[in-house]
Amino acid sequence: MAPVTSALITGISGQDGSYLAELLIGKGYDLHGLVRDPAADHPNLAGMAGNLTLHEGDLRDEESLRSVISAAGPDEVYNLAAFSSVGRSWDEADAVEDANAVGVERLLRAVEELRPSARLFQASSSTMFGSEAPVPQNEDTPVDPGSPYARAKARAHALVGEARARGMHASAGILFNHESPRRGPEFVTRKITRAVAAIKLGDQSGLQLGSLDARRDWGFAGDYVKAMWLMLQRADPVDLVIGSGASHSVGDFVDAAFAYAGLDPADHVSLDPDYVRPAEIAELRADPSRAREELGWTATTGFEELVAMMVEADLEELG
């Protein structure tokens, strides 16, 4: 019988971490997760309790990382923990740098010293490309980060490349926007779908947004974690763009969400310039051709299906 593969997921209780946990549990992994408080309620992990081990730790605390790696002995490490809000990063730049850049440096160091044979996946971000990037963006697009969040992600991405040059099996997925019913309510997509559900149920009358023009390459998080796993099954580490290859505007997302609920957005949506983020990127759209060639991976959940899934989940939750 082949030995069981052990994996450690940081940020396991978040959107991506929980979908990846489901995937790895289904593949029979010995699964470990890093959380700040193992005793807390983790709704995204409901039903998985008997199939994984949670460890207390934080990317900002290197000793906790070393302790978890020693205890779990992972063959694969997926770093999905991060300060995730681009908008809030302007007000909390030091915290973002500590978690999203220095935290990755701490993790790489701990894995390299304690589990040098382990393969590591880092969740990089398409925001690294910046507002002047050509469209679409691929692995060769220059990095030009325009926010504290993007700058920290760019530094972490470079650290992964340096670790790979030292001989570590370290890969980075440059992830374009990916959503699900598990997306946090502070993100614009979930803000929209929750508002639509609340309006449909008579609990809310309107929705305020900053702009409807920004275009993003939106996919389903459950598809994207499959690409993460496939990247660590390769003999050689690699950095790859992970996205759908299609972009839609915030306005498109609004229209699709309201249409699914049988509502007219013109009756409910208003614009407030206070919600506009500094240095907003006009369009992010992936060229995922290398991921298709290298991994045989493509996004399988379409835009309309994704929006419907999120609205339906919010109608069920709020209703």
Side-chain angles (χ1 to χ4, degrees):
M1 181 180 294
V4 175
T5 304
S6 174
L8 170 66
I9 303 173
T10 73
I12 193 170
S13 62
Q15 170 186 258
D16 292 8
S18 60
Y19 281 111
L20 180 59
E22 290 177 345
L23 178 69
L24 298 187
I25 288 170
K27 294 182 179 296
Y29 274 60
D30 173 23
L31 185 58
H32 299 260
L34 182 76
V35 293
R36 292 183 187 176
D37 182 3
D41 183 34
H42 301 292
N44 286 341
L45 301 177
M48 301 185 216
N51 297 298
L52 58 86
T53 303
L54 295 181
H55 302 263
E56 182 176 359
D58 195 311
L59 290 179
R60 298 169 297 181
D61 178 1
E62 186 162 351
E63 285 307 310
S64 72
L65 297 177
R66 296 178 69 87
S67 176
V68 171
I69 291 164
S70 295
D75 302 302
E76 298 173 4
V77 177
Y78 298 85
N79 183 37
L80 308 184
F83 183 109
S84 59
S85 172
V86 177
R88 283 174 44 219
S89 74
W90 295 94
D91 298 322
E92 303 180 54
D94 290 343
V96 174
E97 179 73 11
D98 192 27
N100 292 7
V102 183
V104 174
E105 187 172 23
R106 296 183 187 106
L107 180 63
L108 286 167
R109 183 163 52 235
V111 172
E112 203 167 5
E113 292 178 7
L114 300 173
R115 195 69 176 172
S117 63
R119 300 180 175 192
L120 181 139
F121 174 87
Q122 164 65 15
S124 290
S125 169
S126 60
T127 60
M128 300 187 305
F129 294 130
S131 58
E132 301 301 318
V135 179
Q137 298 90 25
N138 63 25
E139 293 81 0
D140 299 321
T141 301
V143 170
D144 184 23
S147 70
Y149 173 87
R151 286 192 289 272
K153 280 291 188 178
R155 180 181 169 190
H157 187 77
L159 288 168
V160 170
E162 293 170 9
R164 186 164 58 239
R166 295 192 299 269
M168 189 174 181
H169 195 299
S171 298
I174 305 171
L175 306 173
F176 282 66
N177 295 62
H178 48 290
E179 317 296 322
S180 76
R182 300 177 190 174
R183 179 54 106 180
E186 70 274 16
F187 290 84
V188 67
T189 51
R190 190 76 190 286
K191 178 180 179 180
I192 292 167
T193 61
R194 284 184 70 83
V196 167
I199 292 168
K200 182 68 173 180
L201 295 168
D203 298 329
Q204 186 172 322
S205 60
L207 167 64
Q208 288 188 320
L209 296 169
S211 170
L212 301 179
D213 298 330
R215 300 184 67 86
R216 294 293 181 265
D217 186 332
W218 277 301
F220 173 49
D223 288 340
Y224 287 39
V225 300
K226 296 174 185 175
M228 300 176 190
W229 177 77
L230 286 169
M231 287 178 71
L232 292 200
Q233 309 318 302
R234 290 173 47 90
D236 300 317
V238 66
D239 296 342
L240 291 173
V241 159
I242 306 299
S244 76
S247 72
H248 298 84
S249 69
V250 175
D252 294 337
F253 201 103
V254 167
D255 290 343
F258 276 86
Y260 181 80
L263 299 170
D264 185 347
D267 296 333
H268 304 283
V269 178
S270 60
L271 300 182
D272 184 340
D274 288 342
Y275 288 111
V276 177
R277 294 192 308 214
E280 182 66 275
I281 301 172
E283 182 174 12
L284 290 172
R285 174 161 57 89
D287 172 4
S289 55
R290 261 186 233 178
R292 184 169 56 249
E293 294 163 4
E294 299 280 348
L295 306 177
W297 178 89
T298 56
T300 60
T301 305
F303 176 73
E304 300 284 347
E305 182 183 354
L306 171 65
V307 176
M309 177 197 311
M310 294 177 67
V311 174
E312 186 61 38
D314 279 326
L315 283 167
E316 183 176 345
E317 180 179 332
L318 297 180

